[in-house]
Amino acid sequence: MQREVPERSPKSALLSRRSFATAAGGALVALGVGQGLARSAEAEAQVSPGPRAAAAAADGPYTQAFLTQYEKIKNPDNGYFSADGIPFHSVETLIVEAPDHGHQTTSEAFSFWIWLEAAYGRVTGDWAPFNKSWEVAEASIIPPHIDQPTNDSYSPAKPATYAPEHPQVTSYPSELNPSVPVGSDPLAAELASSYGTMDVYGMHWLMDLDNVYGFGNKPGTGDELGPGKMASFINSYQRGAQESVWETVPQPTTDLFKYGGPNGYLDLFVKDASYAKQWKYTNAPDADARAVQAAYWALTWARAQGKEGQVAASVARAAKMGDYLRYSMFDKYFKKIGNCTSPTGCEAASGRDAQHYLLSWYYAWGGSTGTGGGWAWRIGDGIAHQGYQNPLAAWVLSTVPALIPKSPTAKGDWQKSLTRQLEFLRWLQSAEGGLAGGCSNSWDGQYGTPPAGTPTFYGMAYDWQPVYHDPPSNNWFGFQVWCMERVAQCYYVCGNATAKSVLDKWVAWAAEHTTVGADGSLRFPSPLRWPGAPDTWNAASPGANAGLHVAVVDYGDDVGVGAALAMTLIYYAAKSGDADAAGLAKALLDAMAGHADAQGIAVPETRRDYNRFDDPVHFPAGWSGTSPQGVKLGAGATFIGMRPWLKQEPGWPKVQAYLDGGAPPVFTYHRFWAQAALALSFASYAELLADEGGPGGGDDTTAPTIPAGLKVTATTSTSVSLSWSASTDDTGVAAYDVYRDGIPVGSPTATSYTDPGLSAATAYRYRVAARDAAGNASALSAEVTGTTQAGGGTGGAKVQYKNNDSGATDNAIRMSLKVDNTGGGALSLSTLTVRYYFTGDGGPSSYTTWCDWAMLGGANITHRVVAMSSPKAGADRYLEVGFTAGAGSVTAGGGSGEIQLRVHKSDWSNFNEADDYSRGTNSSFAEASKITAYVGGELVWGMEP
């Protein structure tokens, strides 16, 4: 899912942004191609002028699949667009990820819309929808002058006032500190000279299209109009890396103090001597770069049709956007890049010394509304995430004449950025092939000192979870495919050797962990974890990163992620000739097509994180205010309490039942970006690989015979081995799909398979199907049961700990734990408990505990506070952490992944943790001998107090 980043302003709090937010032959029939192309003339007339005649010439099955998916997206009855013609984040409103309801929109959605219309222009020759998407963007999500009115007061010599970020929301508001030196902005003057304005041309990341929050920051008004139906700029994240969507306080982008408290919403985030009414915006660089990428393809395809002039104005907009996008290449406060370990010790920069040339998590700008004197500010960001890099956009903006920006230094900046981005990805590539997180020029958001031994990239510290920590930012496989899709397109266009080497390794890793079942089921990596660290970067002699690893924690079938994976494989295969990659792309597309419904393509999702709907939201002590909708804000407010309209949604009873102790709710969502990505993947496959013969390939429609003689040949405490007789086929069997308990787990080419990583003394059911190269699949074999052997004793475990709250005397104990299996066999986590010892320091005898996030899923973690019958020094209670059966088991050498925990007293009074037995001060993971672990009730780790 897309996520955010926090940032701070010189006069008050800035905005934040999480961009945020994974082979059935003949499956394209399920898309309803004929039905889609026969939709009513009335619906079609609202899509674009005259598409029917243009579409009629495109009769290949994957082009038809693109057109069918396109028409589902553009059909007004399906609900993808607002009354203003702006794409919603999702059709469904009750959805919480980075946007906290579905009828918000993001710059990400806009960028996918622009790209979708570019592909439509290629297929139909109709470029009006592509131009329209840019016109709507310019009229809405790109703030016009009236919404950023005081840029003429901006001083490039003093771009912003420093305010540190903090690890926890409880540390906010953050105090402005004008004594910390900041550098100068080298872009502002040349941008103003090139475009005749001091305004910034970039998309703001978030809008509330139904204005349910009621701020009424309608584009083109420069005002806070209040409740009413309109598209409205808003923002949410703003309080440190640990702030999740469940802890946000939505706020207006133009804050005129009409709502919130006496200072509007500003004093929730930044502490200042006085507060001025102001405007502020945050840009998500990956979205702007994707819009540039889409403009390049539109230019390429229109030129091939002899219609370059029809897209010239939109392409010029993209070039201009790319000019301002360079703000994402600079440190937040324009300080020097590299070895920044204190706010005052990190030097202010001038010129290019503050430029890291990567696409960072955001850039932002803002200013006063003019009352009490004009002022304005701009900041970049010193934190870079692999998932945001776009080497294709860098190549385009430095190479393609129509897209080279006007500013005199822009071409050189993007040339250097292309090289730097590819070096960055090479530096982050694990031994297996996955890409680790990123780097920071400002550790903890306050130019802190990284842990000793932290590797660096041009002096910037490695961070496996750059930007946000709840959940860890690089654990989502979607960031892998979003980045690699762009690398693959860059490789396809320019043949860059570094891009190819990164792709070769990544594609092999991703393919190894991707399974497409004979029944159309999908399975590719979902959450990931990142043991180890890369080598410190040496451009002259890059290291092999033998100590950096990626582990797949679990698997998923998110169709948006699957579409991006397919797109990566398509472009890679088209350039390299890799037939296996092309075949896997086709299998993914055909399988996803089998999940079509009336609104698009989607699969059910189990939302265990929805147990956080009733989480409390922190407000500073004594702060109170009122939202435009009359909701009281302050102590005691909860996520759902601040958003009461969500309880009126049809799906709310499922959420409420979960909050009351029932099963996690299951929803099927139609996210705009995912639906557009699916359409684009069909179009790309048709353009670059094949669009004839239909899914399944050619005229081969004969399935292999059913595998016979399936049997269990061996078992251990962690594995089951199988064998079966070979199937026959008129063209040959390509692979066998092995199913465990109805889920695809492997696709061997031989007639045997060993299924690893299982729990001891557990029965598993297996069936096998055969598949040929055309995608024809046999029926499933007869079922056999394999039971793993009992484990050998209790095994071993060790506990790692880090402190998530540097304050020892506040009202919360916050920590992260990891438990690693040190035994020789699989460890069933339901047999494991962990104890963290502390003192209550008076106050009530009752406590509230939370699992804020866990790699295994918060619903699979149990937690409670237990009073000790015999108190010890530093311990009269312990937090006991356990695991449900749903947590499964971990193999020898494996681990639980991170578990983020929190403890409060029932009256929220303060602790004094300084003397607590188990507490450590380390802010990164380290072994913790004063935290104990038990397997089957037997102590296997640590020392009890």
Side-chain angles (χ1 to χ4, degrees), residues 244-248 470 608-619 634 636-643 652 659 814 848-853 863 902 908:
S244 76
V245 64
W246 303 103
E247 298 167 295
T248 55
D470 184 12
R608 291 182 173 86
D609 60 323
Y610 281 8
N611 64 354
R612 299 188 65 180
F613 262 100
D614 56 3
D615 272 12
V617 176
H618 173 76
F619 286 85
T638 63
F639 178 89
I640 186 60
M642 294 166 59
R643 301 159 175 88
W652 179 257
L659 295 174
R814 299 174 185 263
T848 304
T849 61
W850 283 274
C851 176
D852 287 331
W853 183 84
H863 37 88
R902 181 160 42 107
W908 293 79

Side-chain angles (χ1 to χ4, degrees), residues 71 109 122 125 164 294 332 341 357 364 386 432 485 520 539 571 693 926 932:
E71 291 191 15
R122 182 190 69 79
K332 181 173 181 176
T341 57
Y357 295 96
Q386 65 84 13
E432 293 78 15
E485 167 202 279
Y571 277 92
T932 54

Side-chain angles (χ1 to χ4, degrees), residues 224-594:
E224 195 173 9
L225 302 177
K229 295 294 289 184
M230 67 189 80
S232 173
F233 290 123
I234 63 166
N235 203 28
S236 50
Y237 305 90
Q238 202 162 315
R239 298 187 291 184
Q242 199 62 38
E243 183 185 35
S244 76
V245 64
W246 303 103
E247 298 167 295
T248 55
V249 180
Q251 73 251 203
T253 57
T254 298
D255 196 332
L256 303 179
F257 301 173
K258 293 182 180 180
Y259 307 106
N263 300 307
Y265 291 78
L266 304 180
D267 52 359
L268 291 173
F269 310 112
V270 166
K271 185 177 180 181
D272 201 359
S274 62
Y275 296 89
K277 298 173 183 178
Q278 60 188 263
W279 54 270
K280 61 273 186 189
Y281 301 101
T282 303
N283 177 274
D286 71 316
D288 283 36
R290 188 183 291 111
V292 170
Q293 175 184 345
Y296 164 73
W297 288 119
L299 174 66
T300 301
W301 295 327
R303 180 177 291 159
Q305 297 169 352
K307 298 180 178 181
E308 180 177 352
Q310 294 186 21
V311 300
S314 297
V315 169
R317 292 184 178 103
K320 181 178 180 180
M321 183 175 284
D323 218 345
Y324 288 85
L325 184 56
R326 291 182 296 153
Y327 272 116
S328 70
M329 299 181 185
F330 287 83
D331 175 76
K332 181 173 181 176
Y333 292 105
F334 297 90
K335 287 175 171 286
K336 287 188 176 180
I337 297 299
N339 306 309
C340 280
T341 57
S342 74
T344 54
C346 185
E347 296 180 50
S350 60
R352 299 315 202 198
D353 287 349
Q355 196 167 5
H356 49 66
Y357 295 96
L358 301 171
L359 291 182
S360 60
W361 197 252
Y362 66 88
Y363 73 81
W365 72 109
S368 74
T369 59
T371 57
W375 47 264
W377 52 264
R378 298 179 192 179
I379 58 173
D381 185 21
I383 300 175
H385 191 296
Q386 65 84 13
Y388 268 29
Q389 304 313 301
N390 192 326
L392 176 65
W395 181 85
V396 164
L397 291 165
S398 61
T399 306
V400 179
L403 280 156
I404 294 174
K406 289 183 180 180
S407 292
T409 64
K411 178 178 179 179
D413 281 347
W414 284 112
Q415 283 177 331
K416 190 164 184 177
S417 178
L418 172 61
T419 300
R420 188 64 57 87
Q421 287 184 51
L422 290 171
E423 286 182 322
F424 184 56
L425 300 179
R426 167 68 180 80
W427 174 61
L428 290 171
Q429 190 157 39
S430 64
E432 293 78 15
L435 301 176
C439 66
S440 174
N441 196 55
S442 179
W443 194 257
D444 280 341
Q446 48 189 262
Y447 299 101
T449 302
T454 299
T456 58
F457 178 78
Y458 288 99
M460 296 180 288
Y462 169 69
D463 190 347
W464 69 275
Q465 52 172 355
V467 185
Y468 63 86
H469 299 166
D470 184 12
S473 62
N474 200 46
N475 287 13
W476 184 49
F477 183 65
F479 277 138
Q480 300 286 311
V481 290
W482 274 3
C483 177
M484 294 309 295
E485 167 202 279
R486 303 161 191 152
V487 176
Q489 290 190 35
C490 181
Y491 167 54
Y492 175 80
V493 169
C494 63
N496 184 281
T498 302
K500 181 181 187 302
S501 67
V502 172
L503 279 162
D504 288 343
K505 193 171 181 179
W506 188 92
V507 167
W509 166 72
E512 179 185 357
H513 290 279
T514 300
T515 303
V516 182
D519 61 350
S521 55
L522 304 165
R523 183 176 183 266
F524 37 77
S526 183
L528 307 170
R529 62 184 179 91
W530 302 94
D535 302 323
T536 287
W537 178 250
N538 181 342
S541 180
N545 281 354
L548 174 62
H549 299 282
V550 56
V552 178
V553 176
D554 202 353
Y555 295 85
D557 58 359
D558 181 287
V559 291
V561 174
L565 173 58
M567 188 88 76
T568 304
L569 297 169
I570 289 165
Y571 277 92
Y572 175 70
K575 182 69 172 180
S576 68
D578 188 314
D580 290 339
L584 181 55
K586 182 182 188 303
L588 284 165
L589 294 180
D590 292 354
M592 289 187 292

